[in-house]
Amino acid sequence: MAEVMVDARNVRKTYGSNEVLRGVSLTVERGEVLCIIGPSGSGKSTFLRCLNHLESINGGRIYVNGELMGYRQSGNVLHEMKPKDIARQRQAIGMVFQKFNLFPHMTALQNVIEAPIGVAGINSAEAKELGTKLLDQVGLGDKGDHYPSQLSGGQQQRVAIARALAMKPKLMLFDEPTSALDPELVGDVLDVMKGLAKAGMTMIVVTHEMGFAREVADKVVFIDKGQIVEMGTPKQVLDKPQEARTKAFLNKVL
Protein backbone atom coordinates (compact mmCIF):
# COMPACT_ATOMS: atom_id res chain seq x y z
CA MET A 1 0.00 0.00 0.00
CA ALA A 2 1.14 3.54 -0.80
CA GLU A 3 2.21 5.60 2.18
CA VAL A 4 0.26 8.82 2.77
CA MET A 5 2.53 11.82 3.38
CA VAL A 6 -0.17 14.51 3.65
CA ASP A 7 -3.72 13.95 4.84
CA ALA A 8 -5.85 17.10 5.01
CA ARG A 9 -9.32 16.56 6.38
CA ASN A 10 -12.07 19.18 6.06
CA VAL A 11 -9.62 22.06 6.61
CA ARG A 12 -11.24 25.41 7.38
CA LYS A 13 -9.65 28.83 7.77
CA THR A 14 -11.34 32.14 8.47
CA TYR A 15 -10.12 35.70 8.86
CA GLY A 16 -12.87 37.44 10.76
CA SER A 17 -16.03 36.87 8.71
CA ASN A 18 -14.06 35.89 5.60
CA GLU A 19 -14.01 32.12 5.17
CA VAL A 20 -10.91 31.49 3.05
CA LEU A 21 -10.88 27.68 3.22
CA ARG A 22 -14.22 25.92 3.32
CA GLY A 23 -13.60 22.28 4.04
CA VAL A 24 -10.59 21.25 1.94
CA SER A 25 -9.81 17.52 2.00
CA LEU A 26 -7.06 15.78 0.03
CA THR A 27 -4.24 13.26 0.39
CA VAL A 28 -0.76 13.19 -1.09
CA GLU A 29 1.21 9.95 -1.16
CA ARG A 30 4.95 9.71 -0.57
CA GLY A 31 6.81 10.56 -3.77
CA GLU A 32 3.76 12.16 -5.36
CA VAL A 33 3.66 15.63 -6.95
CA LEU A 34 0.43 17.58 -6.43
CA CYS A 35 -0.13 20.85 -8.29
CA ILE A 36 -2.76 23.28 -6.99
CA ILE A 37 -4.22 25.70 -9.51
CA GLY A 38 -6.93 28.32 -9.30
CA PRO A 39 -7.64 32.06 -9.48
CA SER A 40 -5.94 34.59 -7.22
CA GLY A 41 -7.60 34.81 -3.82
CA SER A 42 -9.04 31.29 -3.99
CA GLY A 43 -7.19 30.07 -0.87
CA LYS A 44 -4.32 28.16 -2.55
CA SER A 45 -1.46 29.87 -0.70
CA THR A 46 -3.40 29.92 2.57
CA PHE A 47 -3.87 26.16 2.34
CA LEU A 48 -0.15 25.68 1.72
CA ARG A 49 0.70 27.82 4.77
CA CYS A 50 -1.73 25.79 6.89
CA LEU A 51 0.10 22.59 5.95
CA ASN A 52 3.20 23.63 7.91
CA HIS A 53 1.23 25.65 10.47
CA LEU A 54 2.42 29.07 9.35
CA GLU A 55 -1.34 29.66 9.59
CA SER A 56 -3.45 28.04 12.29
CA ILE A 57 -6.65 26.36 11.14
CA ASN A 58 -10.20 26.94 12.39
CA GLY A 59 -11.47 23.47 11.68
CA GLY A 60 -10.44 20.05 10.43
CA ARG A 61 -7.15 18.19 10.78
CA ILE A 62 -3.85 18.13 8.89
CA TYR A 63 -1.54 15.12 9.20
CA VAL A 64 1.97 15.21 7.75
CA ASN A 65 3.92 11.96 7.73
CA GLY A 66 1.33 10.49 10.10
CA GLU A 67 1.64 13.28 12.68
CA LEU A 68 -1.10 15.80 13.53
CA MET A 69 0.31 19.16 12.45
CA GLY A 70 0.44 22.05 14.92
CA TYR A 71 -1.86 20.54 17.53
CA ARG A 72 -2.20 17.76 20.05
CA GLN A 73 -5.62 16.20 20.45
CA SER A 74 -7.27 15.53 23.79
CA GLY A 75 -10.58 13.79 23.28
CA ASN A 76 -12.23 15.83 20.52
CA VAL A 77 -10.46 19.04 21.50
CA LEU A 78 -7.34 20.39 19.76
CA HIS A 79 -4.71 22.25 21.74
CA GLU A 80 -2.12 24.24 19.81
CA MET A 81 1.41 23.00 20.36
CA LYS A 82 4.18 25.12 21.84
CA PRO A 83 6.31 27.00 19.27
CA LYS A 84 9.34 24.75 19.82
CA ASP A 85 7.25 21.64 19.10
CA ILE A 86 5.81 23.21 15.94
CA ALA A 87 9.35 24.19 14.89
CA ARG A 88 10.39 20.56 15.29
CA GLN A 89 7.54 19.43 13.05
CA ARG A 90 8.44 22.04 10.43
CA GLN A 91 11.96 20.63 10.09
CA ALA A 92 10.48 17.83 7.98
CA ILE A 93 8.82 20.34 5.62
CA GLY A 94 10.73 22.56 3.21
CA MET A 95 8.97 25.66 1.87
CA VAL A 96 9.83 27.90 -1.04
CA PHE A 97 7.97 31.22 -1.27
CA GLN A 98 7.20 33.64 -4.12
CA LYS A 99 9.74 36.06 -2.66
CA PHE A 100 13.09 34.45 -2.05
CA ASN A 101 13.50 35.68 1.56
CA LEU A 102 17.28 35.22 1.49
CA PHE A 103 19.41 36.95 4.13
CA PRO A 104 20.96 39.84 2.15
CA HIS A 105 24.08 40.02 4.37
CA MET A 106 24.93 36.34 3.81
CA THR A 107 26.43 34.64 0.77
CA ALA A 108 24.51 31.96 -1.10
CA LEU A 109 26.39 29.23 0.76
CA GLN A 110 25.86 30.92 4.14
CA ASN A 111 22.11 31.16 3.42
CA VAL A 112 21.98 27.44 2.66
CA ILE A 113 23.92 26.27 5.73
CA GLU A 114 22.42 28.64 8.32
CA ALA A 115 19.62 26.27 9.40
CA PRO A 116 21.64 23.01 9.34
CA ILE A 117 24.19 24.60 11.69
CA GLY A 118 21.84 26.71 13.84
CA VAL A 119 18.83 24.37 14.02
CA ALA A 120 20.05 20.85 13.25
CA GLY A 121 23.40 21.28 14.98
CA ILE A 122 25.52 20.03 12.07
CA ASN A 123 29.18 21.02 12.34
CA SER A 124 30.47 23.74 10.04
CA ALA A 125 32.65 21.56 7.79
CA GLU A 126 29.86 19.01 7.21
CA ALA A 127 27.34 21.82 6.58
CA LYS A 128 29.62 23.47 4.02
CA GLU A 129 30.06 20.18 2.19
CA LEU A 130 26.28 19.68 2.15
CA GLY A 131 25.63 23.29 1.09
CA THR A 132 28.16 23.11 -1.74
CA LYS A 133 26.59 19.87 -2.98
CA LEU A 134 23.09 21.40 -2.91
CA LEU A 135 24.18 24.57 -4.72
CA ASP A 136 25.74 22.31 -7.33
CA GLN A 137 22.46 20.37 -7.57
CA VAL A 138 20.53 23.57 -8.40
CA GLY A 139 23.17 24.65 -10.94
CA LEU A 140 24.88 27.26 -8.77
CA GLY A 141 28.03 25.47 -7.69
CA ASP A 142 30.14 28.48 -8.73
CA LYS A 143 27.96 31.07 -6.91
CA GLY A 144 28.50 30.03 -3.27
CA ASP A 145 30.44 33.19 -2.39
CA HIS A 146 27.96 35.55 -4.12
CA TYR A 147 25.54 37.68 -2.13
CA PRO A 148 21.83 37.79 -3.10
CA SER A 149 22.26 41.27 -4.64
CA GLN A 150 24.80 39.74 -7.06
CA LEU A 151 22.36 37.06 -8.24
CA SER A 152 19.41 37.18 -10.63
CA GLY A 153 15.92 36.48 -9.34
CA GLY A 154 16.01 32.98 -10.78
CA GLN A 155 19.35 32.29 -9.14
CA GLN A 156 18.08 33.60 -5.80
CA GLN A 157 15.06 31.30 -6.04
CA ARG A 158 17.32 28.33 -6.74
CA VAL A 159 19.38 29.24 -3.66
CA ALA A 160 16.09 29.31 -1.72
CA ILE A 161 15.31 25.79 -2.98
CA ALA A 162 18.80 24.60 -1.93
CA ARG A 163 18.24 26.19 1.48
CA ALA A 164 14.94 24.33 1.91
CA LEU A 165 16.59 21.05 0.88
CA ALA A 166 19.42 21.55 3.36
CA MET A 167 17.21 20.38 6.23
CA LYS A 168 16.57 17.11 4.34
CA PRO A 169 12.77 17.52 4.31
CA LYS A 170 10.32 14.72 3.66
CA LEU A 171 7.91 17.17 1.97
CA MET A 172 8.52 20.26 -0.17
CA LEU A 173 5.95 23.05 -0.50
CA PHE A 174 6.24 25.59 -3.33
CA ASP A 175 4.10 28.74 -3.23
CA GLU A 176 4.07 30.10 -6.80
CA PRO A 177 7.88 29.90 -6.91
CA THR A 178 8.17 31.47 -10.38
CA SER A 179 5.55 34.23 -10.17
CA ALA A 180 8.06 36.95 -9.16
CA LEU A 181 10.54 36.04 -11.91
CA ASP A 182 11.14 37.49 -15.35
CA PRO A 183 9.84 35.02 -17.96
CA GLU A 184 13.31 34.06 -19.22
CA LEU A 185 14.36 33.02 -15.70
CA VAL A 186 11.42 30.71 -15.04
CA GLY A 187 12.77 27.70 -16.92
CA ASP A 188 15.87 27.21 -14.75
CA VAL A 189 13.78 27.10 -11.57
CA LEU A 190 11.23 24.71 -13.09
CA ASP A 191 14.08 22.45 -14.27
CA VAL A 192 15.35 22.17 -10.68
CA MET A 193 11.83 21.29 -9.51
CA LYS A 194 11.47 18.68 -12.26
CA GLY A 195 14.74 17.13 -11.07
CA LEU A 196 13.41 16.92 -7.51
CA ALA A 197 10.23 15.26 -8.74
CA LYS A 198 12.22 12.68 -10.72
CA ALA A 199 14.30 11.98 -7.61
CA GLY A 200 11.11 11.06 -5.73
CA MET A 201 10.59 14.16 -3.56
CA THR A 202 7.02 14.57 -2.31
CA MET A 203 5.93 18.01 -3.54
CA ILE A 204 2.89 20.26 -3.31
CA VAL A 205 3.14 23.14 -5.78
CA VAL A 206 0.83 26.14 -6.03
CA THR A 207 1.44 27.29 -9.59
CA HIS A 208 0.22 29.18 -12.63
CA GLU A 209 2.63 27.20 -14.84
CA MET A 210 0.19 24.84 -16.57
CA GLY A 211 2.91 23.27 -18.68
CA PHE A 212 4.79 22.27 -15.54
CA ALA A 213 1.59 20.88 -13.98
CA ARG A 214 0.84 18.87 -17.11
CA GLU A 215 4.38 17.46 -17.34
CA VAL A 216 5.27 16.80 -13.70
CA ALA A 217 2.12 16.49 -11.56
CA ASP A 218 0.65 13.15 -10.56
CA LYS A 219 -2.48 14.98 -9.42
CA VAL A 220 -3.92 18.44 -10.14
CA VAL A 221 -6.38 20.19 -7.83
CA PHE A 222 -8.44 23.17 -8.95
CA ILE A 223 -9.49 25.35 -6.01
CA ASP A 224 -11.97 28.23 -6.19
CA LYS A 225 -13.47 30.24 -3.34
CA GLY A 226 -11.83 28.05 -0.72
CA GLN A 227 -13.16 24.75 -2.02
CA ILE A 228 -11.86 21.96 -4.24
CA VAL A 229 -13.88 22.13 -7.46
CA GLU A 230 -12.10 19.39 -9.36
CA MET A 231 -9.27 16.93 -8.74
CA GLY A 232 -7.63 14.29 -10.91
CA THR A 233 -4.70 13.54 -13.20
CA PRO A 234 -3.36 16.39 -15.35
CA LYS A 235 -5.08 14.84 -18.36
CA GLN A 236 -8.41 14.71 -16.51
CA VAL A 237 -8.33 18.22 -15.05
CA LEU A 238 -6.40 20.20 -17.67
CA ASP A 239 -7.47 18.44 -20.87
CA LYS A 240 -10.93 17.13 -20.04
CA PRO A 241 -12.34 19.16 -17.11
CA GLN A 242 -15.85 18.21 -16.02
CA GLU A 243 -16.83 21.32 -14.06
CA ALA A 244 -17.95 24.53 -15.75
CA ARG A 245 -15.89 26.63 -13.33
CA THR A 246 -12.72 24.68 -14.17
CA LYS A 247 -13.40 25.06 -17.90
CA ALA A 248 -13.91 28.82 -17.53
CA PHE A 249 -10.65 29.21 -15.59
CA LEU A 250 -8.60 27.13 -18.03
CA ASN A 251 -10.04 28.99 -21.03
CA LYS A 252 -8.46 32.15 -19.60
CA VAL A 253 -5.04 30.73 -18.70
CA LEU A 254 -4.32 28.16 -21.41
Side-chain angles (χ1 to χ4, degrees):
M1 286 200 38
E3 189 177 347
V4 174
M5 176 62 74
V6 177
D7 183 4
R9 304 179 187 177
N10 197 30
V11 175
R12 297 180 176 274
K13 176 65 183 177
T14 58
Y15 297 101
S17 60
N18 183 21
E19 195 171 19
V20 180
L21 297 176
R22 300 190 289 166
V24 174
S25 297
L26 57 81
T27 59
V28 181
E29 293 173 2
R30 184 181 295 277
E32 197 169 43
V33 178
L34 170 74
C35 282
I36 303 177
I37 63 171
S40 296
S42 59
K44 308 184 301 294
S45 294
T46 299
F47 177 68
L48 212 64
R49 292 170 66 85
C50 287
L51 289 177
N52 66 355
H53 205 71
L54 285 174
E55 299 279 358
S56 58
I57 58 177
N58 298 103
R61 305 280 189 279
I62 294 171
Y63 296 88
V64 176
N65 203 28
E67 191 174 351
L68 181 61
M69 194 69 203
Y71 299 92
R72 58 180 179 79
Q73 188 164 337
S74 177
N76 288 324
V77 180
L78 293 185
H79 301 277
E80 194 163 18
M81 286 180 172
K82 293 175 180 174
K84 67 177 176 60
D85 295 321
I86 295 170
R88 175 192 58 76
Q89 287 188 320
R90 282 201 195 113
Q91 287 184 36
I93 306 171
M95 186 156 185
V96 179
F97 301 87
Q98 294 178 39
K99 298 290 191 290
F100 326 120
N101 295 340
L102 298 178
F103 295 115
H105 62 289
M106 292 183 179
T107 64
L109 180 60
Q110 287 169 336
N111 267 282
V112 173
I113 67 177
E114 170 77 2
I117 292 173
V119 178
I122 294 174
N123 71 59
S124 180
E126 190 180 338
K128 283 180 180 174
E129 186 180 342
L130 170 66
T132 302
K133 192 180 296 183
L134 288 170
L135 286 174
D136 205 40
Q137 182 180 332
V138 300
L140 296 172
D142 60 340
K143 303 292 186 186
D145 60 350
H146 285 51
Y147 289 90
S149 61
Q150 298 172 299
L151 301 172
S152 71
Q155 289 171 332
Q156 289 185 60
Q157 190 61 295
R158 284 185 279 155
V159 172
I161 293 172
R163 180 181 59 183
L165 291 172
M167 292 298 286
K168 301 180 180 175
K170 294 182 170 67
L171 168 68
M172 284 285 285
L173 308 177
F174 294 87
D175 187 8
E176 298 188 27
T178 59
S179 65
L181 301 179
D182 293 332
E184 67 269 23
L185 302 176
V186 168
D188 289 339
V189 173
L190 293 180
D191 284 345
V192 170
M193 294 169 64
K194 289 173 188 175
L196 290 176
K198 282 180 183 169
M201 175 62 74
T202 311
M203 297 162 56
I204 301 179
V205 185
V206 171
T207 186
H208 292 298
E209 301 288 343
M210 298 300 154
F212 174 83
R214 181 178 272 110
E215 182 181 346
V216 179
D218 297 294
K219 263 192 316 207
V220 175
V221 170
F222 173 62
I223 290 182
D224 187 36
K225 296 178 181 174
Q227 292 181 306
I228 292 177
V229 176
E230 196 155 351
M231 175 164 41
T233 66
K235 191 173 283 290
Q236 288 169 332
V237 176
L238 300 178
D239 296 339
K240 296 179 180 177
Q242 300 300 304
E243 302 294 330
R245 182 67 190 93
T246 316
K247 292 176 185 175
F249 172 76
L250 291 173
N251 283 338
K252 288 182 179 176
V253 300
L254 290 179

